[in-house]
Amino acid sequence: MTDDELRGLIRAAIQKHMGAGGAGPEPAPPKLAVFQASEGGISFGQYRLERAAGDTSCLIEPAVQCNHCGFCKCHGH
């Protein structure tokens, strides 16, 4: 989520709270990645990451071949 998207959400929430819903156009909701939490909780969840068919390089360290550890799909913990 970019800073501008976050600012838009905050402005919309303030307008809604202050009753100024018709004061301006409603910002579009941010496009978030699909996140699937596992049974272990949100700490173990992973984002769905679309990859090209022949792409075998690691997203974190491109010089290394991907070993499907899942680090690039999570929050890093």
Side-chain angles (χ1 to χ4, degrees):
M1 178 180 291
T2 66
D3 287 344
D4 290 334
E5 291 171 334
L6 181 60
R7 286 185 188 106
L9 287 173
I10 292 170
R11 286 187 185 108
I14 291 171
Q15 286 178 353
K16 183 178 178 181
H17 180 74
M18 300 299 286
E26 191 171 317
K31 294 180 181 178
L32 301 175
V34 176
F35 186 77
Q36 296 175 340
S38 69
E39 292 180 19
I42 197 161
S43 314
F44 298 99
Q46 290 190 345
Y47 291 97
R48 187 176 311 151
L49 183 61
E50 303 296 328
R51 302 280 307 255
D55 189 9
T56 60
S57 63
C58 176
L59 290 176
I60 306 298
E61 200 168 339
V64 178
Q65 186 174 6
C66 178
N67 64 4
H68 306 288
C69 68
F71 187 77
C72 61
K73 296 181 182 181
C74 67
H75 290 285
H77 47 88

